[in-house]
Amino acid sequence: MTASPTPRHIAITGASSGLGAALALEYARPGIRLSLHGRDTDRTEAVAAAARSRGAEVDVARFDVTDADAVAAWVTAIGAGAPLDLMIANAGISGNETGSGGAVSAEVTRAIFAVNVDGVVNTVLPAAELMLGRGRGAIAIVASLAGYRGQPGAPAYAASKAAVKAWGEGLRPRLAHGGLRVSVVCPGFVRTPMTARNRFPMPFLMDADRAARIIRRGLDRNRARIAFPWQLAALCWLLAALPAAWADRLLGGLPGK
């Protein structure tokens, strides 16, 4: 496995809180430029201020990742300011997917797919095009261990993460021909505002700053898949390998998000 050069310009979507914010602070130091996107301007500016206090140069943008033109314009603008070395497609949402009477909420389902799938595609494609023009660069796609197998408590969320996981795995060898490195990040439960809403046990729950260190270490080593913690990753792999009827029985009683 070839080690990756140290990125000097890192762009992160969904950097206003949680894992995105932790990644911004993990990379922040003198000589580093951070281009941060967040839906909440005040919170993103707070992350930017903390990163600047560590010596990084930071710019902040607010836009909807489901707007392909807006994302492409952002990528073009930040790339013109300084060569883009690493794009972390991190923006994502979850929600209560159950409608009245136990039915599936069409509104929440479509919103999750729009942000978690379309938003990632909208982010990665212009970044890849920009990097291919230089013949180098790295892309990190934040999926989830939930994407290893369909989850009855959150079918849209799991499916959206499965989609970007598989897409990233397919892009890695394809874009490698152009000098790009693609890594798929599959975290387990990370302490963030998103998981704070969960009302069920979250095994191996870890702090966001620790998760950010694991991700950075994996990206530095150019790992194809950064799945952690290993105990939960192994369990999710096993669930995916079990006969469907067995897995359904094990997962059927779990509460939804």
Side-chain angles (χ1 to χ4, degrees):
M1 186 181 299
T2 304
S4 302
T6 301
R8 312 302 295 177
H9 182 189
I10 302 107
I12 307 172
T13 61
S16 60
S17 65
L19 189 53
L23 283 164
L25 298 181
E26 174 64 25
Y27 278 103
R29 66 181 186 276
I32 296 297
R33 178 168 184 163
L34 296 171
S35 294
L36 306 181
H37 152 269
R39 291 180 297 171
D40 187 309
T41 302
D42 291 341
R43 288 193 301 174
T44 311
E45 288 289 0
V47 175
R52 292 186 187 107
S53 72
R54 299 186 182 195
E57 180 183 351
V58 188
D59 59 78
V60 170
R62 182 183 184 277
F63 52 84
D64 188 341
V65 293
T66 67
D67 184 338
D69 291 338
V71 183
W74 175 65
V75 172
T76 299
I78 63 175
L84 182 59
D85 299 311
L86 170 61
M87 171 62 79
I88 303 178
N90 169 72
I93 62 171
S94 67
N96 182 4
E97 300 178 31
T98 303
S100 60
V104 175
S105 169
E107 180 182 3
V108 175
T109 296
R110 294 184 187 282
I112 288 172
F113 276 110
V115 174
N116 295 6
V117 180
D118 292 347
V120 169
V121 172
N122 292 343
T123 302
V124 169
L125 289 182
E129 183 177 358
L130 190 69
M131 292 173 179
L132 286 170
R134 298 169 55 211
R136 61 186 177 90
I139 294 170
I141 295 174
V142 179
S144 170
L145 291 180
Y148 276 42
R149 205 270 180 197
Q151 305 290 324
Y157 179 80
S160 70
K161 294 302 185 178
V164 296
K165 172 181 175 291
W167 188 55
E169 290 168 345
L171 286 179
R172 181 178 171 89
R174 186 182 186 94
L175 295 182
H177 296 296
L180 273 61
R181 302 175 304 281
V182 178
S183 298
V184 174
V185 181
C186 296
F189 294 111
V190 178
R191 201 183 308 276
T192 67
M194 185 183 295
T195 58
R197 298 193 298 268
N198 293 342
R199 293 295 179 263
F200 53 83
M202 293 179 282
F204 307 106
L205 178 67
M206 69 171 61
D207 290 334
D209 56 352
R210 181 185 174 198
R213 289 193 298 271
I214 293 171
I215 293 169
R216 180 178 179 177
R217 188 160 57 243
L219 294 176
D220 288 346
R221 296 172 181 174
N222 189 24
R223 289 177 55 187
R225 183 187 299 166
I226 305 167
F228 61 93
W230 70 266
Q231 301 96 326
L232 194 56
L235 179 59
C236 290
W237 179 88
L238 178 61
L239 280 170
L242 287 176
W246 295 10
D248 287 346
R249 193 173 298 116
L250 288 170
L251 296 171
L254 295 180
K257 280 183 169 291

